[in-house]
């Protein structure tokens, strides 16, 4: 793992915790990277290592998670998009490359639409392309359909950090893809005292954000992008299953023709390891270096 610093950026209602992996050279390009719905900034740690100091990577803990857990609402994708614009403004470097994984990809797309002066090209990682919500599901049923067991974890307590590590190591998506970087990322999620450690993620934030993924403004953002975007989609899903969030037929149904989005498949990765594993991380790093001109 490479060294990062943690800074605070003023946003509505308080301060956002932001991790920064500095480039080796002053004046290097800057990439702003956004995590998923129950994740935190350290999910980008493997990509930071693979970027190898050629750019400055900046990743916030989004409102209601990890170091930003104490930030109050309102939550929602639009609130995150405005927070991200505040981070970009604080960087003082002009327009930056914006990347997002899972929910973070939806935030990235909306941020680019709402704040076009802040962001250059986008990299969407297994997210950002949405589909209308099934009308027969209640909000909590919809959340279960979106993130499954991840929602259950937010109400659980753990006696110690080893128990939390064991919980995640048993997750099928990480069965063959554990690392010290993944461990650091999941441990950043814990708060409280033994024997009642729990996730930092505010359930209200996660529920609001998850339902917000189906808002019209969020669903249509990719059709209004002022900049080009690349979608890297994972072959496998959240539980390591063969069916991923996207495939050729689902992307065809999304009808991306006429948009500025170029889909690219990433084989032999799942929804998590497309970001936290070496194969997916190398592809993300390669794309970010190209987009940033590093």
């Amino acid at each position: 793992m490479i060294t990062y610093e943690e800074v605070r950026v003023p946003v509505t209602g308080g301060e956002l915790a932001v991790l920064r992996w500095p480039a080796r050279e002053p004046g290097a390009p800057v990439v702003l990277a956004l995590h998923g719905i129950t994740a935190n900034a350290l999910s980008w740690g493997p990509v930071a290592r693979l970027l190898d100091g050629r750019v400055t990577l900046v990743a916030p803990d989004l409102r209601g998670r990890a170091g930003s857990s104490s930030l109050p609402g309102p939550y929602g994708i639009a609130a995150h998009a405005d927070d991200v614009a505040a981070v970009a403004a604080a960087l003082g470097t002009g327009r930056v490359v914006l990347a997002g994984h899972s929910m973070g990809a939806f935030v990235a797309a909306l941020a680019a639409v709402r704040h076009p002066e802040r962001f250059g090209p986008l990299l969407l990682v297994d997210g950002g392309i949405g589909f209308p919500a099934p009308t027969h599901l209640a909000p909590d049923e919809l959340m279960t359909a979106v993130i499954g067991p991840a929602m259950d974890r937010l109400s659980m307590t753990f006696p110690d950090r080893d128990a939390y590590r064991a919980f995640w190591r048993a997750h099928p998506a990480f069965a063959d893809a554990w690392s010290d970087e993944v461990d650091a990322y999941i441990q950043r999620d814990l708060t409280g005292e033994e024997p009642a450690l729990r996730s930092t993620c505010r359930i209200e934030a996660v529920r609001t954000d998850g339902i917000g993924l189906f808002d019209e403004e969020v669903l249509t953002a990719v059709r209004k992008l002022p900049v080009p975007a690349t979608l890297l989609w994972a072959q496998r899903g959240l539980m390591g299953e063969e069916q991923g969030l996207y495939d050729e037929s689902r992307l065809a149904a999304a009808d991306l023709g006429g948009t500025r989005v170029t889909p690219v498949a990433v084989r032999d990765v799942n929804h998590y390891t497309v970001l936290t594993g070496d194969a997916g991380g190398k592809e993300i790093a390669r794309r970010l270096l190209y987009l940033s001109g590093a």
Side-chain angles (χ1 to χ4, degrees), residues 2-259:
I2 64 172
T3 303
Y4 61 86
E5 59 181 350
E6 184 167 343
V7 298
R8 314 290 298 190
V9 173
V11 294
T12 301
E15 293 182 323
L16 204 68
V18 179
L19 305 189
R20 179 179 181 271
W21 290 266
R24 289 192 299 267
E25 301 294 333
V30 176
V31 172
L32 183 52
L34 313 177
H35 63 72
I37 192 165
T38 62
N40 61 69
L42 267 188
S43 61
W44 286 88
V47 171
R49 168 177 52 81
L50 293 162
L51 287 168
D52 193 30
R54 289 169 284 183
V55 302
T56 291
L57 182 67
V58 177
D61 287 329
L62 295 176
R63 183 179 294 260
R65 285 86 170 166
S68 304
S69 180
S70 63
L71 270 173
Y75 306 109
I77 307 305
H80 294 310
D82 294 345
D83 286 346
V84 169
V87 174
L91 293 172
T93 56
R95 296 167 81 226
V96 299
V97 173
L98 184 57
H101 172 245
S102 194
M103 183 194 78
F106 289 89
V107 175
L110 188 58
V113 172
R114 290 170 70 101
H115 305 279
E117 74 284 1
R118 297 291 181 202
F119 304 109
L122 303 185
L123 185 66
L124 310 176
V125 182
D126 221 32
I129 312 299
F131 302 92
T135 56
H136 65 284
L137 294 180
D140 282 350
E141 292 174 322
L142 184 59
M143 284 306 304
T144 299
V146 171
I147 61 174
M151 194 70 182
D152 297 335
R153 184 185 92 247
L154 307 187
S155 300
M156 298 171 64
T157 58
F158 299 85
D160 53 37
R161 290 185 174 272
D162 283 342
Y164 197 53
R165 180 178 296 113
F167 173 86
W168 274 106
R169 292 200 71 161
H171 193 295
F174 290 102
D176 301 309
W178 195 258
S179 68
D180 289 345
E181 291 165 327
V182 170
D183 190 60
Y185 147 52
I186 65 103
Q187 295 292 340
R188 185 172 175 81
D189 180 47
L190 279 183
T191 190
E193 300 291 336
E194 296 180 3
L197 297 172
R198 56 180 175 79
S199 171
T200 61
C201 294
R202 289 195 173 193
I203 293 177
E204 178 192 355
V206 172
R207 181 179 286 113
T208 302
D209 295 345
I211 295 169
L213 292 173
F214 299 95
D215 288 348
E216 185 70 12
E217 183 186 22
V218 176
L219 289 174
T220 58
V222 292
R223 304 188 183 282
K224 303 174 182 176
L225 291 176
V227 291
T230 302
L231 167 66
L232 298 180
W233 57 272
Q235 183 180 30
R236 300 197 299 277
L238 279 79
M239 301 297 288
E241 69 273 29
E242 288 300 316
Q243 177 63 61
L245 296 180
Y246 304 109
D247 58 24
E248 285 85 354
S249 64
R250 290 181 178 181
L251 291 170
D255 190 19
L256 297 176
T259 73

